[in-house]
């Protein structure tokens, strides 16, 4: 992109230089001193304009890189959240089934035995520990 802009600037400045040369030639006042002055002005003008355009486009490129970096970070964060949600679905489903087991056990057996409650509490604790470890793993990542 910068090469294209530089080429276009060169054409513009060169056309401007040629117009000056043509004007002086048409009026029969074209001398080697005038030619040197025109070349000097052309070179200086082209250099100044090129630097300004390079500076402008470098700034734009840095802005675009910053935007792309932020978008990349957001995409990575979205992927990580999606992975956490995926890792949590199975333990949440398991906890849900274990909790539903309590009233079903009471209905089927007529009472809720301490062993069943202890097993459900243990199993729920295991699932909660797994979910906490998942969060720690992703945070460390």
């Amino acid at each position: 992109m910068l090469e294209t802009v530089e080429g276009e600037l060169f054409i513009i400045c060169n056309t401007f230089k040629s117009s000056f040369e043509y004007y002086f030639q048409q009026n029969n006042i074209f001398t080697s001193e005038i030619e040197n002055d025109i070349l000097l002005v052309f070179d200086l003008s082209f250099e100044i304009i090129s630097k300004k355009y390079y500076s402008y486009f470098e700034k734009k490129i840095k802005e675009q890189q910053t935007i792309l970096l932020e978008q990349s970070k957001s995409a990575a964060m979205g992927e990580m959240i999606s992975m956490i949600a995926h890792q949590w679905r199975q333990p949440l489903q398991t906890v849900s089934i274990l909790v539903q087991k309590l009233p079903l056990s009471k209905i089927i057996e007529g009472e809720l035995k301490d062993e069943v409650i202890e097993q459900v509490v243990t199993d729920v604790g295991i699932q909660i520990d797994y979910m906490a470890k998942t969060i720690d793993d992703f945070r460390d990542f």
Side-chain angles (χ1 to χ4, degrees), residues 36-101:
N36 289 336
D37 288 346
I38 291 172
L39 286 173
L40 179 64
V41 169
F42 167 75
D43 288 342
L44 290 174
S45 298
F46 182 70
E47 182 180 345
I48 291 168
I49 291 171
S50 291
K51 284 180 182 178
K52 286 186 179 185
Y53 272 92
Y54 271 111
S55 174
Y56 171 78
F57 281 109
E58 284 175 348
K59 180 181 173 187
K60 286 293 184 187
I61 288 170
K62 285 180 184 177
E63 288 173 2
Q64 289 176 350
Q65 287 173 338
T66 300
I67 290 169
L68 287 173
L69 181 62
E70 291 301 317
Q71 289 174 343
S72 175
K73 287 179 184 178
S74 294
M77 183 65 79
E79 287 180 34
M80 188 167 73
I81 290 170
S82 176
M83 287 188 276
I84 290 171
H86 175 74
Q87 290 295 321
W88 273 35
R89 278 192 180 88
Q90 183 180 354
L92 285 173
Q93 184 65 27
T94 302
V95 168
S96 175
I97 291 169
L98 289 169
V99 170
Q100 292 172 12
K101 179 180 179 180

Side-chain angles (χ1 to χ4, degrees), residues 21-31 34:
E21 290 173 346
Y22 179 77
Y23 173 80
F24 287 112
Q25 287 172 353
Q26 290 298 314
N27 290 301
N28 294 321
I29 53 175
F30 192 71
T31 64
I34 289 175

